[in-house]
Amino acid sequence: KDPLFSNIKKIFFVTNLITNLPCQDLLNSLDEKHKKSCFQAKATIDYVLENFFKANVTNLEVKNSKEYRNLKKEIEIYYSTKEAIESNPENSGLKNSLNILKQKIATDSEPTFRQFIKNRFFHNKSIIDRKKFMRDNGWFIELYPICDIKDYKVIFLTTQKFISPIDTFRRVPFYAYNDEIIDNSIVFIDEFDSTKTVILDQIIED
């Protein structure tokens, strides 16, 4: 353990393009124990699409809700469209449909589902009840791993994510750049000039 970093709470890697994040390179060089200290803070929609069918939603109230059913139906259509594109990669119409559908899920059905979860299991609930819901519903963390961002040492995120509200369900959404989560931390900013402009514009706007 390098004493130089002993007092560093977290390390943030920020870049404009997600493809510039060295997340996979770092993970490949670490053992299993240290891999668990790294987290890539993707867009909410990316985690939901990635993990929806892997996450085993066992809560019957959630599964029977219209919000869950609507989200499930649209994600099923999303993956059906994606499979059609794999069979017909030159079809620009299908690709356009996929982008439109992803945007609809990101701005409509997923936020509606998330709000249902908040209203039912988080709003006006004690900290103990919130933690119990998370503990008893492992699928929830699979869909929204950002909830545990405070537990990670190394965090990779795009500039847009860095300057957008982070919603952990545990508290009011916050901005990483002016929250206590960044205290005693190191922030590495890739392509500093262009990234700096984006960040400063957002800070001024806020």
Side-chain angles (χ1 to χ4, degrees):
K1 187 174 181 180
D2 192 334
L4 181 64
F5 293 97
S6 60
N7 294 320
I8 301 301
K9 187 167 69 175
K10 297 184 185 300
I11 300 173
F12 291 84
F13 288 92
V14 182
T15 183
N16 278 334
L17 297 174
I18 196 167
T19 52
N20 290 347
L21 292 171
C23 186
Q24 197 55 52
D25 290 338
L26 176 62
L27 291 177
N28 290 341
S29 68
L30 297 176
D31 57 31
E32 290 304 314
K33 176 185 175 183
H34 289 92
K35 282 180 182 178
K36 293 178 181 178
S37 67
C38 301
F39 177 64
Q40 184 175 352
K42 300 179 186 178
T44 299
I45 182 61
D46 290 331
Y47 274 120
V48 170
L49 286 174
E50 241 177 66
N51 298 329
F52 190 82
F53 292 113
K54 291 186 285 186
N56 181 24
V57 179
T58 53
N59 187 300
L60 291 180
E61 183 177 355
V62 173
K63 289 184 76 170
N64 292 328
S65 68
K66 67 179 185 298
E67 292 83 0
Y68 174 84
R69 294 197 306 271
N70 289 341
L71 178 59
K72 182 174 183 285
K73 181 176 70 175
E74 292 194 354
I75 292 178
E76 286 173 341
I77 296 171
Y78 173 86
Y79 277 106
S80 294
T81 306
K82 202 170 183 181
E83 287 179 10
I85 291 173
E86 290 173 1
S87 302
N88 191 0
E90 303 304 317
N91 191 319
S92 58
L94 282 174
K95 291 178 181 178
N96 188 49
S97 295
L98 189 72
N99 290 333
I100 292 172
L101 185 54
K102 181 176 181 179
Q103 183 65 16
K104 184 176 184 301
I105 296 171
T107 59
D108 184 9
S109 54
E110 188 285 318
T112 300
F113 172 71
R114 192 175 354 134
Q115 193 59 49
F116 162 73
I117 295 292
K118 284 185 176 182
N119 290 342
R120 178 62 187 86
F121 302 104
F122 288 87
H123 287 173
N124 299 319
K125 302 293 183 181
S126 68
I127 293 175
I128 292 174
D129 286 340
R130 294 178 186 186
K131 287 182 176 179
K132 184 178 187 304
F133 174 78
M134 291 185 176
R135 186 174 64 249
D136 294 346
N137 295 274
W139 55 267
F140 176 76
I141 299 297
E142 287 188 66
L143 293 182
Y144 300 104
I146 196 77
C147 291
D148 289 335
I149 191 172
K150 65 178 180 58
D151 297 332
Y152 294 96
K153 176 81 172 181
V154 181
I155 299 168
F156 300 88
L157 66 175
T158 61
T159 308
Q160 189 57 49
K161 192 71 175 177
F162 188 65
I163 62 176
S164 297
I166 292 178
D167 187 358
T168 65
F169 289 78
R170 301 176 186 273
R171 48 180 289 205
V172 173
F174 61 90
Y175 294 92
Y177 63 79
N178 67 354
D179 186 76
E180 62 181 16
I181 195 173
I182 211 170
D183 293 347
N184 301 315
S185 297
I186 294 177
V187 180
F188 291 99
I189 298 179
D190 185 39
E191 298 179 347
F192 183 75
D193 287 338
S194 58
T195 303
K196 177 184 66 176
T197 301
V198 176
I199 293 174
L200 287 178
D201 285 348
Q202 182 66 41
I203 292 174
I204 290 170
E205 189 175 309
D206 291 341

